[in-house]
Amino acid sequence: MLVAALASLALLAAGAGAWWLLARPDQQARDGAAPPRPPLVRTSEVQAADKVAITQTAFVRPVFEVDVTPEVSARIAALGEDFRVGGRVERGDVLVRLERDRLEAALAEAEARVEQARAAVTEARVTRQRQEELEAEDFASEARLQDAILGVARAEADLAAARAAETTARRRLDDTTIRAPFDALVTARTTAPGQAVSPGAPLGRLVATGAAQMRMGLTARDVALLGGAEAALGTAVAVLPTGAPGAGPLAEGVVTDTDPQVAEGSRTTGLIVRVEDAFAMRDPRPLRVGELVELRLAATLAGSGALSVPVEALKAGATLWRVSRRSDGAATLARVPATVIYRTRGRAVVAAEGLSPGDRVMLSDRAGALDGLRVRLARETEGAGGGSATGRTEGSGAADPSATSFGDAGSAASAGVGSGGAGSGG
């Protein structure tokens, strides 16, 4: 029994030794392993927001637009050389000439009637004078004199009517030549030589080349940002082509009035933007009637302390994570609550205490972000240019949005953010 007990103890000791020998290297390996590295994050530089560009689409409308219509019934004898779609005419240029033969005959007849009426007046006056002389010598009755006086009045009335008819005939003859009432662009022509026309029938359409106006709708957020729609009066507005990002402005307008009515469909407050010489030849090209353009109005934020950050930096609605470098070279996160003043597709204007231009904020999505959490900066984001590229673990190739706004997708209005004293978008 003693021998058996000793043998059992020897086997247990051998097993324990084997277990210790097998387990010890793993334990040593675990004890000697390096701690996990901090997560890698992308960052972007915070910029000062000096301006916000409020953008809105609008249609170009002429200030003056008229139909070309005749005042008389006649056939078209000829059309003006520039009276064609796309043609430009100056005030007084001939647009349409109508046939004159019938109206010239009517004028000649009216002139003849005037001469007849004038002769009748002369005869009536002579008769009255004779009756006055006879009545003075008691050779004529008072009744005859009164008839002579009435005869003069009737003759003079007939003369006035004949002269009015002559004036009408002359004006109708003048109306056979239709001239441009102002410098204009021909946008439509619906007639041809030889066609019979009647008064009021449209022959074409003219729009004044002097000016154009557009309605720029402002949302309640836009109005608040400007400090009221009336505060925009006199402000310059850039007119840009739609569907051409990066293209230069076609023209520059000025806010001249506010629309007294709120648009029912969009519930927007309107600004009336006027562009002088909108349809005149200009560089790069003139505006076109009915064209859809983008209007861009700059709202100044200088001195407000507003900051510009990428929309990607906003977490959980309106939380920013400032990334600070420590003296030992490490970086840590700090939560910064923010208030969004204006948001676009690319950037947001915010107010945030404890955040200044030049600070960096985290762009990466980190569910476990905490105050004081150590992080690593992606090598591409450590520069001072304000841009942020992707780190190896982020799986994104997008660069940080610039300070230019390209508008909200699916929305009529959007804004761009300017920084460092520069305007945005334009």
Side-chain angles (χ1 to χ4, degrees):
M1 292 179 62
L2 180 59
V3 173
L6 291 174
S8 299
L9 290 174
L11 290 174
L12 290 174
W19 175 85
W20 183 81
L21 290 175
L22 292 174
R24 186 172 180 275
D26 291 342
Q27 182 65 39
Q28 289 178 342
R30 284 194 298 269
D31 293 342
R37 302 181 68 187
L40 189 68
V41 298
R42 295 179 297 117
T43 65
S44 177
E45 185 177 288
V46 177
Q47 300 173 354
D50 294 334
K51 291 183 179 180
V52 171
I54 302 173
T55 62
Q56 171 68 287
T57 55
F59 289 99
V60 178
R61 305 296 187 194
V63 175
F64 300 111
E65 186 173 11
V66 297
D67 287 327
V68 178
T69 57
E71 297 293 329
V72 296
S73 296
R75 288 189 179 275
I76 294 177
L79 297 175
E81 180 180 355
D82 294 323
F83 185 50
R84 50 184 171 76
V85 176
R88 294 177 181 273
V89 296
E90 296 182 357
R91 180 179 180 179
D93 285 354
V94 175
L95 304 177
V96 180
R97 290 189 185 277
L98 302 177
E99 294 180 350
R100 299 166 55 93
D101 297 347
R102 181 173 57 84
L103 295 177
E104 286 176 344
L107 176 60
E109 183 180 354
E111 290 173 343
R113 289 178 179 175
V114 169
E115 294 302 321
Q116 291 176 353
R118 186 178 289 116
V121 169
T122 301
E123 182 180 359
R125 288 174 177 172
V126 170
T127 301
R128 183 186 65 181
Q129 182 178 3
R130 184 182 303 114
Q131 292 298 324
E132 287 175 348
E133 292 174 353
L134 293 174
E135 197 273 338
E137 297 176 1
D138 294 331
F139 287 108
S141 64
E142 182 69 22
R144 286 180 177 245
L145 176 60
Q146 294 299 324
D147 289 342
I149 293 174
L150 292 175
V152 171
R154 284 193 295 267
E156 289 177 345
D158 291 341
L159 176 60
R163 285 173 174 170
E166 179 191 17
T167 300
T168 300
R170 180 168 281 108
R171 287 181 177 177
R172 289 169 65 83
L173 184 60
D174 292 339
D175 287 340
T176 58
T177 301
I178 303 175
R179 301 180 181 273
F182 43 72
D183 295 350
L185 179 68
V186 181
T187 59
R189 195 191 78 181
T190 59
T191 189
Q195 179 180 347
V197 297
S198 57
L203 308 180
R205 194 164 185 80
L206 303 179
V207 299
T209 57
Q213 64 184 19
M214 291 143 278
R215 183 186 186 279
M216 182 178 186
L218 299 181
T219 64
R221 180 183 64 172
D222 298 331
V223 173
L225 190 65
L226 292 171
E230 288 72 16
L233 294 177
T235 304
V237 177
V239 182
L240 300 102
T242 57
L250 299 175
E252 183 176 283
V254 177
V255 179
T256 58
D257 294 289
T258 59
D259 193 334
Q261 295 183 342
V262 175
E264 294 184 2
S266 59
R267 307 305 300 171
T268 57
T269 300
L271 298 180
I272 306 303
V273 179
R274 184 184 177 100
V275 178
E276 298 296 336
D277 296 326
F279 308 111
M281 299 304 296
R282 62 172 66 234
D283 187 28
R285 64 170 178 82
L287 297 179
R288 300 186 177 97
V289 179
E291 177 182 9
L292 182 66
V293 295
E294 181 181 280
L295 304 180
R296 183 167 293 175
L297 183 152
T300 302
L301 299 176
S304 65
L307 302 172
S308 169
V309 298
V311 171
E312 190 180 0
L314 293 171
K315 310 299 179 184
T319 298
L320 299 171
W321 290 95
R322 186 178 67 243
V323 181
S324 304
R325 281 189 176 276
R326 302 193 316 184
S327 58
D328 59 1
T332 57
L333 299 181
R335 182 194 301 269
V336 179
T339 300
V340 178
I341 300 174
Y342 213 91
R343 184 195 299 263
T344 71
R345 185 183 65 180
R347 298 191 70 84
V349 178
V350 301
E353 294 186 7
L355 203 61
S356 303
D359 289 344
R360 303 197 74 84
V361 289
M362 181 178 69
L363 300 181
S364 304
D365 292 326
R366 291 294 174 186
L370 297 171
D371 281 316
L373 177 68
R374 297 184 59 180
V375 295
R376 289 181 299 130
L377 302 184
R379 182 173 52 192
E380 293 87 346
T381 70
E382 294 178 356
S388 64
T390 55
R392 293 186 301 274
T393 63
E394 297 303 316
S396 169
D400 178 37
S402 70
T404 302
S405 166
F406 300 101
D408 292 324
S411 172
S414 62
V417 180
S419 61
S424 68

